[in-house]
Amino acid sequence: GGELNWIQNMTNEDWEELGRGLSNNTRLETVCFYGGALSDERVDILFQGLTRSSSIGKLSFCDNELSVAGVQSMVPFLQHANSLRELNLSQTHFKSEGFNMLFRALRNSPIERLTCCSCGIASIQIDTEHIPEHLTYLNLNSNIIDADGCRGLVELLQREDSTLLSLCLNNNTIDDEGVTILVDALQNNTSLTSLNLLNNDGISNHGMTILLKLVNDVSSIKATLQSNHTLQNIYINPGEPSDPNQKIQTNIKMATEVNVKNRYSTEAAGREKVIQTQLHVTNRVELCRLQDVNHSVYRDIDPLHLPEVLSLIGRHHGCEELYLALSSSVMALFATVNMKKCIQQERAYHTIRAVEYRAIAAEHAAKVQQLDAKLAAMEEEEAAAGNEGDIDFNHRSNKRRRK
């Protein structure tokens, strides 16, 4: 109480002098003002003196009456605070405009952790030219972020060299549409390990299924291999034990645990998911039901690789699963493969025979042409010989008449 009274009694000159003292101090690492100690006017005066710092690593102004004007007063300092790694402005009132201004100001900052809980943030505008290069933790809990706000986060999540490890969006107004937007942005993200979506009442079982498919899509083996293998924690509201919600979360947790186990190799994570879910009949049946998938996994497998696949099932899941795999899918697959093979072989046989017959037909046609030519020559010779005989007969007849 005494400290707060002392702060409330500080004059404008006191605040500016305090700012200069903080700016000149080369050992001070943490500065905290909370519980209504600051207002826009006091922040403006404080940062007239506090324009830069080589030592402050953490700045916390929680629970103060700060608006966009207060954020604007901080911008010069934020642009020249060479050691600032953590900034907490929770429970202030600068809303979306203030957050967007703050984010742009931190563009070239070494900031790693940014917390802006309960600030009235709804829409978010982030462009690729104004993203803090070292940001690993962003906490936006207890705001009013909806699907449009999620669209604003896409640039941050899709950035090729993204450094963000943790994104906290608890207690917002995100629904299934917002989840879809976030999931699309995370398909190829290889940095984010933690996504917090607790207490977003608009997220239904459909939205949770979308999150499940993000980390383990069983629509095909290729889809499983291309799932997100980086996320290690996805926090969503738990359901009742018998609720499909709970089953979805259980499978999300199984997938993220595989990611944790194989955090140094996404390829290894993908392979393990295929073995543990695609090649495990019981697990796959449940996942297919949750994701509305209704085709056999064996259609994705080259028949030449079946022996190896069956060996994997036997080694990893035991004889019972091997038997289930054989009885439920593989025998039918063999029949399909044999029929297909027979048709292919028969087609190949007739194709070869057709080529052979075409060659034989061509040979016979050429022979016919040769024989026709010989016949024509013989007929010409016969015709020529007949003409010579007629001429000689006529000549002898004329002689007899002259005698």
Side-chain angles (χ1 to χ4, degrees):
E3 291 181 358
L4 182 58
N5 291 334
W6 174 76
I7 290 175
Q8 296 295 345
N9 292 327
M10 288 177 62
T11 65
N12 290 348
E13 291 77 11
D14 292 335
W15 281 106
E16 185 173 356
E17 183 179 352
L18 176 61
R20 285 195 297 270
L22 295 174
S23 185
N24 294 328
N25 191 304
T26 58
R27 295 185 178 182
L28 186 65
E29 297 181 357
T30 301
V31 175
C32 298
F33 288 101
Y34 55 88
L38 296 175
S39 63
D40 285 341
E41 181 182 2
R42 289 174 178 172
V43 167
D44 179 50
I45 297 170
L46 175 68
F47 282 95
Q48 287 180 19
L50 180 55
T51 56
R52 65 180 61 244
S53 173
S54 60
S55 64
I56 296 176
K58 178 180 179 180
L59 191 64
S60 180
F61 287 176
C62 297
D63 191 19
N64 286 288
E65 297 293 328
L66 302 183
S67 68
V68 177
V71 174
Q72 180 66 55
S73 301
M74 297 169 60
V75 168
F77 168 78
L78 296 175
Q79 292 175 335
H80 298 92
N82 299 328
S83 298
L84 187 64
R85 298 289 188 272
E86 183 174 351
L87 177 62
N88 190 337
L89 297 177
S90 295
Q91 295 177 282
T92 53
H93 307 284
F94 52 70
K95 300 183 179 179
S96 299
E97 183 181 356
F99 176 78
N100 295 330
M101 180 186 299
L102 176 68
F103 212 78
R104 288 192 296 271
L106 294 170
R107 172 187 177 184
N108 296 317
S109 166
I111 195 77
E112 296 175 358
R113 297 175 63 87
L114 177 60
T115 302
C116 298
C117 301
S118 302
C119 295
I121 301 168
S123 63
I124 297 173
Q125 296 177 356
I126 296 175
D127 63 78
T128 54
E129 301 298 322
H130 296 88
I131 296 177
E133 296 181 357
H134 307 285
L135 187 66
T136 61
Y137 175 87
L138 178 60
N139 189 337
L140 298 175
N141 289 342
S142 302
N143 285 289
I144 49 176
I145 297 170
D146 56 10
D148 287 336
C150 291
R151 287 190 185 91
L153 292 168
V154 167
E155 291 292 340
L156 181 62
L157 297 173
Q158 287 185 334
R159 187 183 181 190
E160 288 187 8
D161 54 350
S162 175
T163 57
L164 192 66
L165 301 177
S166 180
L167 177 61
C168 301
L169 296 170
N170 298 331
N171 299 298
N172 277 279
T173 57
I174 297 171
D175 56 10
D176 291 346
E177 182 184 2
V179 169
T180 301
I181 293 167
L182 293 174
V183 165
D184 287 343
L186 288 169
Q187 290 291 343
N188 298 312
N189 180 285
T190 57
S191 66
L192 197 74
T193 60
S194 180
L195 177 62
N196 295 262
L197 294 169
L198 290 167
N199 300 322
N200 283 279
D201 296 334
I203 300 178
S204 68
N205 286 346
H206 176 66
M208 293 182 183
T209 301
I210 294 171
L211 288 167
L212 172 58
K213 292 186 70 173
L214 171 66
V215 290
N216 192 9
D217 185 345
V218 296
S219 60
S220 69
I221 289 179
K222 182 178 180 180
T224 301
L225 293 173
Q226 292 179 343
S227 299
N228 182 295
H229 306 310
T230 305
L231 275 167
Q232 299 178 13
N233 292 290
I234 298 178
Y235 298 101
I236 47 181
N237 285 357
E240 297 297 326
S242 60
D243 190 356
N245 174 320
Q246 184 62 47
K247 294 185 182 297
I248 296 170
Q249 289 194 61
T250 298
N251 282 281
I252 289 175
K253 186 176 181 180
M254 288 174 60
T256 53
E257 285 177 348
V258 171
N259 290 352
V260 172
K261 179 181 175 181
N262 298 279
R263 56 188 173 277
Y264 301 115
S265 174
T266 56
E267 291 184 3
R271 287 195 300 270
E272 182 166 345
K273 287 177 185 178
V274 169
I275 293 171
Q276 296 298 333
T277 57
Q278 292 282 20
L279 302 182
H280 189 287
V281 174
T282 305
N283 291 343
R284 189 174 190 277
V285 166
E286 180 169 271
L287 283 165
C288 286
R289 181 178 56 79
L290 293 173
Q291 298 183 25
D292 196 23
V293 175
N294 56 8
H295 68 80
S296 171
V297 67
Y298 293 99
R299 78 175 190 178
D300 300 329
I301 300 173
D302 188 323
L304 295 176
H305 296 156
L306 275 176
E308 182 180 355
V309 171
L310 295 175
S311 176
L312 278 173
I313 294 173
R315 290 201 311 270
H316 288 272
H317 306 311
C319 294
E320 183 176 352
E321 278 295 322
L322 178 58
Y323 171 77
L324 289 173
L326 285 167
S327 60
S328 64
S329 301
V330 177
M331 295 309 294
L333 178 63
F334 280 149
T336 303
V337 171
N338 288 340
M339 179 62 70
K340 183 177 180 181
K341 194 69 174 179
C342 288
I343 294 172
Q344 290 174 338
Q345 289 175 346
E346 186 175 0
R347 182 184 181 280
Y349 168 79
H350 287 293
T351 299
I352 294 171
R353 297 299 290 173
V355 172
E356 291 176 350
Y357 286 141
R358 282 197 294 270
I360 293 172
E363 182 181 347
H364 286 297
K367 191 67 175 178
V368 168
Q369 289 179 350
Q370 292 175 3
L371 295 173
D372 287 343
K374 287 182 179 182
L375 288 171
M378 291 174 67
E379 290 174 355
E380 288 177 0
E381 290 176 358
E382 290 174 355
N387 290 335
E388 290 178 359
D390 291 341
I391 293 171
D392 182 59
F393 175 78
N394 291 334
H395 178 67
R396 287 197 301 272
S397 297
N398 289 336
K399 276 184 157 186
R400 284 195 294 270
R401 283 195 290 273
R402 285 196 295 271
K403 290 181 179 181

